[in-house]
Each structure stands twice: as C-alpha cells, then as structure tokens.
Amino acid sequence: MSTHDPTTLRGLLSNTRITFSLLPGLGIMIILRMAIHLYRPDIEDAENRVRDHPFEQLYDCYDIIIVGAGSAGAVLANRLSENPDWKVLLLEAGQDENVLSEVPVLFPVLQTSSVDWQFLTEPSDGYCLSMVERKCRWPRGKVLGGSSVLNAMLYIRGNKRDYDNWESMGNVGWGYESVLPYFRKSEDIRIPEHQNDPYHATGGYLTVENFAFEHPITRKILEAGEQLGYSIRDVNGEIQTGFTRSHATVRAGLRCSTAKAFLRPASKRKNLHVSVHSLVEKILIDEQKTAYGVKFKKHGQERIIRASKEVILSAGSIQSPQLLMLSGIGEAEHLKELGIYPIVNLPGVGKNLQDHIAMGGHSFLFDNPYTNGTEYCFNINSVISIGGLVDFSVNKNGPLYSMMEAEAMAFVNTKYQDPSEDYPDIQLFIAPTADNMDGGLFGKRANGLDDATYAELYEEILYDSSFSIVPLLLRPKSRGYLKLRDANPYSPPLIYPNYFSNPDDIKVMAEGARIAQELVNQPALRELNARPNPRRNPGCTAYELMSDEHLECQARHHTLTIYHPVGTCAMGPADDPGAVVDPRLKVYGIKNLRVVDGSVIPIITNGNTNAPIIMIAEKASDMIKEDWYEVITEELCPVEVDNTYRQSKVTEDEEPTKIQLNPPNLFNETACLFPLLDEKLASNPFQNKKDKKSEPKKDNKQDIVPSSENIPKQILKSVARKPHLHSSYNHLQRKFNSRPQNPLRIYPYGPPNIQNQYPNYGSNYGQIHNPFYQYPKLGRRNPLKNIFANLQPKPLVYYNNMDTIKDPVYYETSEGITPEGKMKCKIWLYNNGKKYEVVL
Ligand SMILES: Cc1cc2nc3c(=O)[nH]c(=O)nc-3n(C[C@H](O)[C@H](O)[C@H](O)COP(=O)(O)OP(=O)(O)OC[C@H]3O[C@@H](n4cnc5c(N)ncnc54)[C@H](O)[C@@H]3O)c2cc1C
Ligand SMILES: *[C@@H]1O[C@H](CO)[C@@H](O)[C@H](O)[C@H]1NC(C)=O
Ligand SMILES: *[C@@H]1O[C@H](CO)[C@@H](O)[C@H](O)[C@H]1NC(C)=O
C-alpha cells in the first residue's frame, strides 16, 4: 500500500492554524458551561446526580459487585438493586458525567478528554494509514455511564437475524423473539408515530427521541434516498432496510446516557453503593475456582471487598477480557509468559474481536441555496457562537441540539447482498458536515487524522458547505484480538483489530462508497450541485477518483472505527472452544463470575451496539435474579465482618450522608475537555525558541509577546492569509466578516441602557428573536503576536461574588488592543445593573 509523508509543510501550517483556534474554543466552552450553570439547572440536575459512596463507609461484603458502570453496568446496578434484600456495589474507574457531555453537538469534543480511556491500536500496514503513527484511536468512556456518555447517541437495535443467528450457534434464549421484550422493557419512546407500535414501548428508563435539531441538508439527503428507491421507515421495527431520521438516546434533546437513565433514579436506594475513581485491579478467585471478591484502588488506597453471590464484569469489550487475563483466566500460554498464574485455560479471552469500520473522507461539497446567509449544513462558527449559546441556554433550542455526525442514516444493500433478505450489509451515516466544517478542531483530533492528510483534504475548502455520506461495513468477516501488554492493570492492552484482513471486507466497503455516490446523483442533491471533494487522500493520489483502487486505498487510509468493538469474551455453548461465557453469561470454569457487556456478543449486530448491550444487561439481570431465587448465601457474607476500614459503623437504617452540593468549578470542568491545549502550548515551537534564546528580561510587558522574528516567515503569512478562525461569522453579514456590526460587542465600558438603544432587544437575551451568531474571537486586524499573548489561559476570575448571581441579564464580549499593544478579549456578565467580569 502506497503511503505518504505525514510531515509536510502544509500539514505544519494547518496544525498551527488549528492551534491558534484552541484558546477561543476553550473560551466559548467556558461561557457555555457558565450559561448552563445559570440557566439550565435541568442539565446540572444537581439533586439527582449519582453520589460517590465514601470509601470508609463501603461494606466489606456485598451480595453482588459490578465492575464498570458503563452501558451494561448501569442497567445491572439498577435492576439488581430493585431487590431491597440485595446489597449491590458498583465500582467505576472514572468520574461522574461532565455537564457538557449532555450537549449533543459536543459529541466529538469528549473524545481524547479526561472521560476517555484513549486507547490506541497497534500500528498497521493495512488500515488507519492516515492516522498519526498509523494507529487508530479507540475512545472508550471512563465515566459513570461508560461509553454511553461519549457515544453518538444513535439508537439501533440491529437485525432480527442477528439474534436468531446467536441462537442457532447454541445460545439458547437469545433469538429475536426472546430479546425483543428486553428492548421494549428499557424503552421510553417519545417519537409520536412509534408510541403505539408493537416494536416499541413507553415508560421505560431509556428515553428515545429524534435529535431536536436538524440541518436543512439532511432533509434533502433523505429525499435523495427515496429517489434512489428506498423507503423512509422505522429501521428498529419490522424491516431494517431503508432510510430514517436517527433514533437517539436523548431526553428533551439532551444526551440520555445509561447513568442518567438507569443510575440516577436508583442511586438513592440504600442498598446500592456507587464508588467512582475505583479501578478494579483483579478479580479474586479461591482454590475452588470460585470468584469471591475484587481488589481495587481508589485515590491510591487499596481495598478488598467480597461478594457473597457473584462478581459481574461489565468493564467493556477491552477491559473485561483484560481483567479476566489479569486474574488468571485466558490462554494459559500467554498468561505464563507474563508471569500470571493461569487458573483456567480459556483461549477465547480477547479473541474474536469485531468492530464496525467506516470509510472517512467521503465528503461532498454543495452550493448553499439560501442567499440570506443562513447555513444549510453544520458550521462550527455559527453553531458554537454567542447566538447558539443563547438559543441553547434560554430558548432551549438551536443547533447545539444537533448531533451532526448522523442526523439521519440508512441501511442499504450492495451488489453482494440479496435485497429480498432484508439483511443490509452497509449502513450509511448521513452527516450535514465534513471535517472542513469544524476547522479541524474536533473531528481531526478525535480520529487522529495526521496533519498532512487534513491539510490536503480540507484546508482549501475550509467552511465551504459540505456533507458526508459515511459508508459503514455492517458484517465484517475479519477478526482481531487483544493481549495483555504486561501484568500491570494500569497498562493498556495491545489491540490488533486486523481490519480488512479478510479481502471480502474491503470489497463490500468500496461498494458502500458507490452507493453514497449514487445517492449524490439523485435529483434532490443534483439541485444543490452536490459533488465529491475533488481532493484526494495524499496516500492515494496514484489512483483515479472513484476507481476501485482509489476507494480501497481511501478505506485503508481514512479508516474510521465506529467504536463498536465486541466479541472478546464471546458467549457460546460448552462445546465451542472459543466461548468464554455460557448462554447465561457465566464464565466457563469459574463459579460466581459473569461477564455482562459488549464483549459477550458472539457476532456483531447489524447496527450500533449501545441498544443491544443495554438489552443484554436487562436480560442478564433477569437471569441473575432467577439463578439466585431462594438460594441462601447469607453465611458467606457475615453481618459482622472486619470493620477496620470503617471509621464509623454504618447500619442500613442510618440516613445517608448529607448531600453537599459544591459549586461547580467551571474552568476545570471545561478545560479537561481540551487536553491538547496544554500539550500544544508546551510544544509551541515559537515559545520554545524564545525560552532557549532569551535571558529573562526585566520588562515583563515585553516578555509576554514572543517576537515575530522567531516565527518562520511562511507561517506568518499563511496564518494571516487564512483569517477564518479568528473571525466572526454573522448570518446577516457577509461570510466571515471579522468585525460584524453586532451590537453585542460594542460596549467596551459597561451596559448602557440596552433597551433604549436596541428597542428590538428585550431585557434579556432570551427575547432576541433572531440572534446573531458570532464567535467572539481575535479579529483579523490583530497581529499574530497578540494572538500569542493570549495563548496563556488564566483561571476564570469572578469579580464580585459570583455565588450571588442568580439571573444575569446578559453577556457581553469585547476584543481589542490595549494601549501597550496587548490583546484584550473580555467577557462580562450583567446582573441587576452590576457588572461581573470573566477574565480568560
Ligand atoms: C465515541 C463513541 C461513539 C459511539 N457511538 C455510538 C452510537 O451512536 N450508538 C451506539 O449504539 N453505540 C455507540 N457507541 C458504542 C457504544 O456506546 C458501546 O458499545 C457501549 O457503550 C459499550 O457498553 P459496555 O457496557 O460494553 O462498555 P462501556 O460502556 O465502555 O463501560 C465500561 C465501563 O467500565 C469501566 N471500567 C473499565 N475497566 C474498569 C476497571 N478495571 N475498574 C473499574 N471500572 C472499569 C469503564 O470506565 C466504563 O465506564 C459509541 C462508542 C463510542 C466510544
Ligand atoms: C433565510 O432563508 C430561508 C429560506 O427562505 C429561511 O428559512 C431562513 O429563515 C432565512 N434566514 C433568515 C436569517 O432570515
Ligand atoms: C483545577 O485544575 C488545576 C490544574 O489542573 C488543579 O491544580 C486544581 O486542583 C483543580 N481544581 C479543582 C477544584 O479541581
């Protein structure tokens, strides 16, 4: 496979441009966080958030210990603690959900942040060739709710045949007829036309809606789908083949993770203890090969807790097999190599790894039919803007409610699949955006696309109206595996997904890309002059655009995981040598140990995996209740156990600890989503040079601004030529007007009487009917050196006492240059005539 130089000058320039936009990006995010704090107590939901049970007050023994509070673990914790006689402990390595994760449009921001485990696959020559170091990024949630906090919220159950296949492999009780009731049990569908439908249900914990905001281009693409001969239908109902607006796990338009859906309502039960920041290092197994507890660590303190009934592993498809191996369950040879005593030789642990992959970079340009400046597709400059924030905070609507990676989708058949079977082999994600539309801030970072590829594909079409039709291979034949790196529970495992190792997979993928092209040729999209991005992946320039070779090359370069790794602790009958758990999800050869999460899926489902995993956990909960029905285990968990860990004796009747609601730390919560900011600053080439070269100067003022002599001339020029990211976008103004005539930013000295000056404006932003979308940023007039001066984030400072602000009247931003030539970028908040200043 031909490849390319990942370190081109264009790449460096592109990277530099993106770096400049990180700080303004952080600024706007802080304002969003602040706005949520002030206007959206429904999102903070402080009363109902899951509270961490104090370490000292954890019991020494529970009936059930669940490891991992992800999609599956949260469901189990709720269902198993329904029985008040069972004491349930839920251990989660991560923290509570970040408030910002509720905002659908921020979906890609969460990846590579502190709520992401940030796994990387081992480098490959067959896939992810355009990714940094040829490694694919595998985000996974490290947070209450697990990957359901990071995911794209798409609710897809899969195809009936998936489950019938599982059953025909010997997994009794997993056929479609048996699992449908468990899909319905969780569900609270709020899409009116499905509410009285035998495939759906209302009243469950998990809310399913359509996304609350849709970009106009999405409707056009659905129209094109119909023109191509497909119907728009409920792909979670009787027939899967067709197009649909996405069903999503959102509630009132906001993310409905399993933590929100299942844990918050259960977390006040006295028999359920949730412990966060608690990483389980090992499952403890005795000489009878019975799992009797776990060893975990929280804030450096180690602790052993016993389980009288069972330990349930719900650490996800990567860490459940990892923990089994660390505990001596896996391929004996591999364990011995690492010095782990093999208790049970189960060669299937970590094998049978399956994932859904898509071909990235399949983006199309089109002409915006609106002549008044309104966007037809997602554009970060208009979405993440003051106007967007106001819509979101006050009016509870607007583009922050969009999940622009797949507002709609389709299940379609390539020439390799008989359409009469209703077993589509390609899923299309319909995205009213492409990686050019976020300026490289998020999509590029999330996927790990290298600088040269991003620059080549997108820099020249930055913010030009685009959409993507992303073809996803539904039933891969390739299988990967994962292994332990070493015996340390804190080392990420070695991941070898082996994408495209079966040659059929790349053929189907290329055909999927052709269907996307056919779609674009339909009248509805022709009308908009839709056309493929003519720029080719730099690794594939040898091939003609849209030739088989080109599509295959693109698939191998721009390989995107759709984040569905499953199968690594596969369920199967006893005579299946690769099976790790039996059809009741009990680990072979070990008593009182189950695995319940995506890793037990024997063959990946025909669609996204969150809903199937929630279903699995619902069904498992019933199996666990059945299996322990009338079994007395009390003697295994004596009431008077070793109390050394308890500071004070806690009985079940005691009141839970007083609820303490600390004010949120807005800056930290937000900054943790921008880990790259620190990294970039640390490696800022200009700053480093300066540090090395110059002695500390006495005149501090001069010192802040690195001299432009240190900046390579070409970069200076290139950045200056590309003002987009440092400009504002105003719907009513010409595109990328860097200084829109916007009243929001013309008050440098406090609030005049806003109503007199702008009679159309109410006393509150909430009453602005046609908000201006703007991005308060460093303007194009400001020389480069001033941008550098602002690259040092300072903590949020509140003048006057922030706690007293209840109802701010409005925000205001300003930018400019101080008399000393320093950049000034300020945000103020007004309340009852008082001015509060937020210093970034
Ligand atoms: C970016 C992204 C987008 C996605 N988009 C979609 C989508 O739109 N629709 C869809 O259906 N699916 C989507 N998925 C997939 C779906 O979210 C996952 O398949 C599903 O959430 C996995 O559930 P799980 O219970 O198997 O594991 P997880 O939800 O990953 O839960 C595992 C939990 O265990 C914890 N844990 C791990 N190790 C330990 C340990 N040693 N000790 C304590 N705790 C531990 C983790 O921190 C985590 O909270 C997406 C996934 C990602 C990452
Ligand atoms: C621009 O025109 C479109 C189509 O007529 C309309 O839907 C939209 O509201 C207009 N935008 C503004 C800001 O007037
Ligand atoms: C905020 O972040 C800083 C730097 O990472 C850290 O030192 C500080 O303790 C954090 N504060 C809180 C309240 O989390």
Side-chain angles (χ1 to χ4, degrees):
M1 182 54 46
S2 70
T3 188
H4 64 285
D5 174 10
T7 58
T8 59
L9 175 63
R10 280 168 84 88
L12 175 69
L13 300 183
S14 164
N15 183 301
T16 309
R17 180 190 60 74
I18 293 168
T19 306
F20 290 155
S21 56
L22 280 172
L23 189 73
L26 175 63
I28 204 86
M29 221 64 89
I30 291 175
I31 308 178
L32 172 59
R33 180 63 189 89
M34 186 164 69
I36 289 174
H37 182 54
L38 297 167
Y39 282 94
R40 299 295 305 265
D42 58 318
I43 296 181
E44 284 199 337
D45 198 19
E47 263 301 305
N48 295 311
R49 291 239 166 198
V50 180
R51 265 168 271 283
D52 186 26
H53 200 83
F55 188 72
E56 309 76 30
Q57 292 175 17
L58 293 173
Y59 304 149
D60 295 307
C61 185
Y62 290 80
D63 291 86
I64 301 219
I65 299 176
I66 303 164
V67 179
S71 294
V75 176
L76 291 166
N78 180 320
R79 296 299 186 189
L80 298 178
S81 65
E82 281 171 350
N83 178 349
D85 294 336
W86 284 6
K87 295 195 274 305
V88 177
L89 174 64
L90 176 62
L91 294 171
E92 167 55 47
Q95 60 206 21
D96 189 14
E97 292 167 277
N98 188 305
V99 170
L100 292 171
S101 65
E102 305 242 342
V103 183
V105 85
L106 296 185
F107 150 73
V109 179
L110 306 165
Q111 294 166 50
T112 72
S113 80
S114 61
V115 293
D116 176 5
W117 285 96
Q118 306 181 28
F119 292 110
L120 289 170
T121 64
E122 293 307 299
S124 142
D125 289 329
Y127 48 86
C128 289
L129 301 179
S130 290
M131 305 301 158
V132 175
E133 296 178 352
R134 293 181 291 112
K135 296 176 176 178
C136 327
R137 293 204 174 180
W138 273 26
R140 296 270 96 195
K142 185 183 183 181
V143 51
L144 289 178
S147 300
S148 76
V149 175
L150 260 65
N151 75 12
M153 296 160 275
L154 304 169
Y155 178 85
I156 291 293
R157 294 177 177 178
N159 192 285
K160 293 176 181 179
R161 287 184 173 227
D162 298 333
Y163 304 101
D164 291 342
N165 285 346
W166 293 6
E167 180 146 60
S168 68
M169 294 165 72
N171 295 302
V172 183
W174 289 93
Y176 184 70
E177 288 306 318
S178 317
V179 303
L180 179 59
Y182 287 106
F183 279 114
R184 297 183 72 244
K185 183 177 184 183
S186 306
E187 188 179 23
D188 182 22
I189 192 138
R190 297 192 183 168
I191 302 171
E193 61 266 35
H194 301 326
Q195 281 183 326
N196 295 312
D197 173 327
Y199 287 93
H200 292 279
T202 53
Y205 284 113
L206 187 70
T207 314
V208 178
E209 301 173 349
N210 290 127
F211 289 114
F213 186 91
E214 183 178 298
H215 289 89
I217 185 71
T218 299
R219 184 173 44 81
K220 281 288 187 190
I221 302 173
L222 286 171
E223 240 175 87
E226 285 183 299
Q227 289 164 349
L228 191 61
Y230 287 94
S231 309
I232 297 192
R233 63 155 51 95
D234 174 12
V235 298
N236 288 317
E238 196 185 348
I239 296 174
Q240 190 181 30
T241 311
F243 279 61
T244 184
R245 292 203 156 73
S246 298
H247 293 184
T249 45
V250 294
R251 183 183 295 166
L254 301 165
R255 177 187 296 275
C256 184
S257 69
T258 58
K260 186 180 190 177
F262 292 90
L263 272 188
R264 289 187 206 174
S267 71
K268 289 191 178 132
R269 292 179 193 156
K270 286 182 184 164
N271 61 328
L272 172 63
H273 290 173
V274 180
S275 181
V276 297
H277 297 297
S278 304
L279 188 131
V280 174
E281 297 175 346
K282 196 172 184 181
I283 297 151
L284 304 172
I285 297 166
D286 67 16
E287 309 82 61
Q288 275 80 48
K289 301 197 177 179
T290 301
Y292 66 90
V294 298
K295 185 171 94 176
F296 73 99
K297 204 180 255 174
K298 176 169 183 175
H299 300 315
Q301 284 178 281
E302 200 163 276
R303 177 100 188 243
I304 286 175
I305 294 189
R306 296 159 51 100
S308 66
K309 291 193 169 59
E310 54 181 87
V311 175
I312 305 174
L313 206 45
S314 297
S317 298
I318 300 173
Q319 286 143 306
S320 284
Q322 182 189 19
L323 260 172
L324 285 181
M325 290 189 271
L326 287 168
S327 311
I329 304 163
E331 189 178 60
E333 281 312 306
H334 174 49
L335 300 183
K336 280 189 221 156
E337 275 165 28
L338 299 174
I340 297 169
Y341 177 75
I343 298 175
V344 184
N345 179 22
L346 270 186
V349 175
K351 307 279 171 48
N352 188 45
L353 173 60
Q354 299 160 61
D355 188 15
H356 284 143
I357 35 170
M359 181 196 288
H362 216 52
S363 36
F364 300 87
L365 295 163
F366 69 97
D367 300 339
N368 182 353
Y370 289 164
T371 48
N372 57 9
T374 294
E375 290 291 350
Y376 211 68
C377 65
F378 171 89
N379 179 336
I380 195 170
N381 294 324
S382 54
V383 171
I384 311 288
S385 64
I386 294 293
L389 296 187
V390 171
D391 274 354
F392 179 80
S393 315
V394 186
N395 306 329
K396 298 194 179 175
N397 61 26
L400 269 75
Y401 282 94
S402 141
M403 205 301 292
M404 68 292 182
E405 308 289 327
E407 285 185 358
M409 61 170 73
F411 289 89
V412 296
N413 298 296
T414 67
K415 66 179 182 193
Y416 301 108
Q417 174 60 45
D418 174 1
S420 69
E421 288 184 339
D422 183 33
Y423 204 23
D425 55 353
I426 287 283
Q427 186 179 2
L428 300 175
F429 282 169
I430 295 171
T433 186
D435 278 347
N436 60 326
M437 299 309 287
D438 73 0
L441 265 186
F442 300 121
K444 170 180 185 263
R445 181 182 92 176
N447 298 323
L449 197 63
D450 68 36
D451 295 338
T453 306
Y454 185 87
E456 184 61 37
L457 286 176
Y458 300 117
E459 281 292 338
E460 295 302 322
I461 55 166
L462 225 45
Y463 309 116
D464 291 349
S465 293
S466 309
F467 63 87
S468 306
I469 308 285
V470 183
L472 177 162
L473 180 72
L474 281 171
R475 288 194 300 285
K477 293 184 182 163
S478 308
R479 296 287 181 268
Y481 62 96
L482 47 87
K483 285 166 72 164
L484 292 181
R485 192 176 297 268
D486 51 41
N488 178 353
Y490 296 86
S491 299
L494 300 166
I495 304 173
Y496 302 92
N498 283 343
Y499 298 136
F500 303 128
S501 57
N502 184 313
D504 291 351
D505 288 350
I506 194 116
K507 298 244 159 350
V508 179
M509 180 67 103
E511 281 303 309
R514 293 201 183 282
I515 299 177
Q517 180 64 41
E518 278 174 47
L519 192 60
V520 172
N521 287 338
Q522 300 309 306
L525 292 172
R526 276 252 135 114
E527 242 172 61
L528 303 175
N529 187 24
R531 57 206 183 269
N533 177 3
R535 283 149 202 90
R536 274 169 297 180
N537 187 299
C540 306
T541 47
Y543 309 111
E544 202 185 317
L545 198 67
M546 288 308 286
S547 64
D548 282 347
E549 294 79 9
H550 181 260
L551 292 174
E552 292 181 11
C553 177
Q554 187 178 337
R556 289 188 188 275
H557 276 79
H558 209 138
T559 321
L560 299 181
T561 172
I562 298 298
Y563 323 106
H564 299 161
V566 295
T568 47
C569 302
M571 153 168 82
D575 58 5
D576 173 354
V580 175
V581 297
D582 69 16
R584 293 188 81 78
L585 308 184
K586 292 179 178 167
V587 175
Y588 280 112
I590 301 282
K591 270 184 275 173
N592 296 353
L593 180 61
R594 257 180 251 249
V595 181
V596 182
D597 59 25
S599 61
V600 304
I601 292 178
I603 298 184
I604 196 164
T605 53
N606 224 40
N608 310 63
T609 46
N610 192 41
I613 291 168
I614 292 171
M615 175 280 287
I616 290 170
E618 288 279 18
K619 187 164 163 56
S621 302
D622 271 6
M623 295 194 300
I624 294 162
K625 287 174 178 170
E626 278 166 27
D627 287 354
W628 292 102
Y629 184 67
E630 288 196 336
V631 178
I632 309 290
T633 53
E634 216 46 45
E635 72 278 12
L636 291 172
C637 209
V639 181
E640 278 313 312
V641 282
D642 173 21
N643 274 337
T644 45
Y645 290 105
R646 300 188 198 173
Q647 283 181 347
S648 60
K649 199 166 175 305
V650 181
T651 69
E652 285 201 56
D653 304 325
E654 226 168 272
E655 277 302 302
T657 17
K658 262 260 172 296
I659 295 169
Q660 266 216 330
L661 298 178
N662 294 324
N665 183 329
L666 304 183
F667 183 79
N668 274 29
E669 265 187 45
T670 315
C672 75
L673 295 180
F674 276 81
L676 273 200
L677 191 62
D678 285 346
E679 204 181 289
K680 292 270 179 187
L681 290 175
S683 65
N684 181 331
F686 316 128
Q687 225 131 42
N688 285 349
K689 266 189 201 160
K690 188 195 93 187
D691 289 348
K692 269 182 233 143
K693 206 168 97 182
S694 58
E695 310 259 291
K697 287 182 197 154
K698 276 170 206 153
D699 184 355
N700 284 334
K701 277 177 205 151
Q702 299 278 307
D703 213 8
I704 301 171
V705 183
S707 93
S708 55
E709 290 150 34
N710 297 332
I711 301 171
K713 282 274 155 23
Q714 315 90 302
I715 292 182
L716 199 60
K717 224 169 125 195
S718 141
V719 172
R721 231 189 44 225
K722 277 258 178 251
H724 300 3
L725 265 176
H726 303 297
S727 63
S728 307
Y729 180 72
N730 184 332
H731 270 190
L732 304 179
Q733 297 289 320
R734 174 167 71 79
K735 255 192 164 185
F736 309 126
N737 180 348
S738 67
R739 315 282 293 186
Q741 299 303 306
N742 190 323
L744 302 187
R745 57 161 67 202
I746 330 184
Y747 315 126
Y749 306 113
N753 186 334
I754 191 167
Q755 257 154 331
N756 290 349
Q757 279 199 2
Y758 302 97
N760 292 338
Y761 284 49
S763 60
N764 184 309
Y765 260 22
Q767 286 145 37
I768 301 174
H769 295 299
N770 234 337
F772 292 89
Y773 289 102
Q774 69 157 0
Y775 202 23
K777 290 231 181 144
L778 317 177
R780 104 174 16 155
R781 288 188 204 163
N782 304 311
L784 188 61
K785 59 176 186 174
N786 292 315
I787 296 172
F788 276 107
N790 270 272
L791 279 175
Q792 298 294 351
K794 287 196 210 97
L796 194 62
V797 176
Y798 301 116
Y799 293 98
N800 293 315
N801 189 357
M802 188 66 186
D803 297 342
T804 63
I805 301 185
K806 290 271 154 28
D807 278 316
V809 178
Y810 64 100
Y811 304 113
E812 180 191 319
T813 65
S814 138
E815 60 180 69
I817 303 173
T818 63
E820 305 90 61
K822 273 198 260 162
M823 181 64 206
K824 197 177 77 188
C825 176
K826 289 193 173 170
I827 299 158
W828 292 290
L829 194 71
Y830 288 94
N831 179 56
N832 293 335
K834 252 197 213 160
K835 176 177 173 184
Y836 301 85
E837 186 174 9
V838 182
V839 180
L840 295 181

